[in-house]
Amino acid sequence: MSYEKELKAAKKAASLAAQLCQKVQKALLQSDVHSKSDKSPVTVADYGSQALVSFVLGKELPTDSFSMVAEEDSADLREDGGQETLERITKLINDTLSSDGSYDLSPLSGEDVLTAIDSGKSEGGPSGRHWVLDPIDGTKGFLRGDQYAIALALLDEGKVVLGVLACPNLPLQPIGNSEKHSLQCQAGCLFFAEVGGGTHMQSLDGSLSTKVHVSSTENPAEASFFESYEAAHSLHDLSSSIATKLGVQAPPVRIDSQAKYGALSRGDGAIYLRFPHKGYREKIWDHAAGCIVVSEAGGVVTDAGGNPLDFSKGRFLDLDTGIIVTNKKLMPLLLKAVRDALSESQATPSL
């Protein structure tokens, strides 16, 4: 089955959301930061991105059965102190839609925006179609002026069938250890993949797309690996132990968000390791788009036991310990190193 129409809509939605996010990041003020129950920062752009994606998908793919699993809901904005923030979000969305010019419509109201945000309350599951959205993946990177992504995927009967990663600050050229990810070089990548169709990349300004492929390296000594920038998001010591066992010589490349999946899909590095702290439950929106972008580029994404990720169980992934990503040639070696490092860490009380 072809998802050409859906992929076109997803690219449009993620690209417009990226434009909105870029505006906010340029003028980032401390007053943009809210606090959620889990204390992670949420910005005006987070809500605006989700509302804009929801709106664009609804316009491009009108249906009575629209379903989206997304990170945010409008509860905070509906409280007494939320009106000013809602007004700013609404203005941002209307300005973005107006400058794009694709839709001939009256400006959206605050209530329109709240409704669009709350269209992301679906629980997903194994049947039907569900969009999966992280409106800003890598919020801390966003706040630092560094890497973040708008990550959008489509589930059909529990399987990820397409994914789009809009990475406004990811350089178009390969990134590596020697580079600081400078925003001075040309940046802004859009990765997109459809099941059976490979993975492509283009610049966010709409240049011609090119097909991308994961690194073909078979030698771990030549492989570099990505991991989360924030130590709170992944066990860096465990990743280091795995890299040592593999014989990886390059230091890790630490960047925020699913931009790592995009960079890996085009061969910037060969391995991505993510081992959250005990008790953390991975959400499907943190990996759905990245997973298909890498797998359609020839890579493999599994949990630490070598099992494929299962996106059909609702809003969370039930995982064996962590997530590992690499090419097909390196995966057997990586799995062995992961197993050995995990067994050692479990046998060591200090870990």
Side-chain angles (χ1 to χ4, degrees):
M1 181 183 294
S2 170
Y3 297 92
E4 183 180 353
K5 183 173 62 170
E6 291 83 356
L7 184 58
K8 183 180 178 183
K11 289 168 63 179
K12 172 85 170 175
S15 297
L16 281 178
Q19 288 179 29
L20 181 149
C21 293
Q22 286 172 302
K23 289 178 192 174
V24 177
Q25 194 180 53
K26 284 178 183 173
L28 189 62
L29 301 171
Q30 198 58 37
S31 59
D32 282 339
V33 181
H34 281 249
S35 179
K36 281 195 303 191
S37 58
D38 66 0
K39 305 301 182 189
S40 66
V42 176
T43 64
V44 164
D46 216 352
Y47 291 113
S49 173
Q50 181 159 318
L52 192 52
V53 167
S54 171
F55 175 81
V56 172
L57 291 177
K59 277 288 181 186
E60 296 289 328
L61 304 165
T63 174
D64 294 332
S65 58
F66 181 78
S67 172
M68 188 164 74
V69 186
E71 187 168 19
E72 307 302 341
D73 65 53
S74 70
D76 288 351
L77 296 176
R78 293 180 186 274
E79 291 178 358
D80 291 343
Q83 188 58 38
E84 181 184 344
T85 303
L86 177 59
E87 288 173 2
R88 294 179 65 194
I89 295 166
T90 304
K91 183 177 188 306
L92 265 171
I93 292 171
N94 284 322
D95 287 351
T96 305
L97 288 170
S98 175
S99 62
D100 174 65
S102 295
Y103 306 108
D104 183 16
L105 45 84
S106 302
L108 302 185
S109 67
E111 191 57 42
D112 292 333
V113 170
L114 292 172
T115 300
I117 291 170
D118 284 338
S119 70
K121 285 184 173 180
S122 169
E123 293 297 317
S127 60
R129 287 189 176 189
H130 308 280
W131 291 97
V132 179
L133 171 69
D134 194 333
I136 294 184
D137 183 42
T139 316
K140 290 186 177 179
F142 179 82
L143 292 170
R144 282 200 316 274
D146 211 332
Q147 297 301 330
Y148 66 100
I150 295 89
L152 180 61
L154 179 62
L155 293 182
D156 195 350
E157 303 300 314
K159 304 289 186 186
V160 183
V161 295
L162 68 83
V164 176
L165 291 175
C167 306
N169 290 338
L170 189 68
L172 291 170
Q173 298 302 313
I175 58 173
N177 300 296
S178 59
E179 298 179 49
K180 295 295 180 187
H181 311 308
S182 170
L183 301 188
Q184 306 306 312
C185 56
Q186 191 178 6
C189 301
L190 185 73
F191 299 91
F192 54 97
E194 179 185 349
V195 63
T199 297
H200 294 77
M201 183 191 84
Q202 65 186 56
S203 66
L204 269 175
D205 64 15
S207 65
L208 285 174
S209 65
T210 56
K211 196 164 188 177
V212 295
H213 204 275
V214 297
S215 166
S216 59
T217 184
E218 301 177 50
N219 183 358
E222 297 172 358
S224 61
F225 73 95
F226 294 112
E227 63 181 1
S228 299
Y229 184 95
E230 300 283 341
H233 292 170
S234 193
L235 298 171
H236 285 173
D237 287 349
L238 181 58
S239 296
S240 178
S241 172
I242 293 164
T244 299
K245 290 182 182 304
L246 266 178
V248 172
Q249 295 177 2
V253 179
R254 291 176 177 160
I255 60 176
D256 301 279
S257 83
Q258 288 179 70
K260 290 184 285 292
Y261 280 109
L264 196 136
S265 77
R266 68 184 184 189
D268 289 9
I271 299 167
Y272 166 32
L273 303 172
R274 180 179 170 93
F275 292 94
H277 292 265
K278 192 170 182 180
Y280 181 80
R281 292 183 77 191
E282 295 280 10
K283 291 90 170 175
I284 62 172
W285 54 75
D286 284 327
H287 300 283
C291 184
I292 191 169
V293 162
V294 165
S295 59
E296 283 295 322
V300 189
V301 184
T302 73
D303 68 10
N307 309 298
L309 305 189
D310 184 352
F311 293 94
S312 71
K313 296 180 178 179
R315 295 170 75 86
F316 295 95
L317 288 169
D318 292 326
L319 292 178
D320 180 354
T321 309
I323 292 174
I324 58 178
V325 187
T326 189
N327 63 36
K328 292 170 183 173
K329 294 172 183 174
L330 282 174
M331 184 56 90
L333 293 171
L334 179 57
L335 274 171
K336 182 180 186 307
V338 167
R339 277 195 296 270
D340 292 347
L342 283 172
S343 63
E344 282 181 16
S345 70
Q346 289 158 4
T348 307
S350 63
L351 292 176

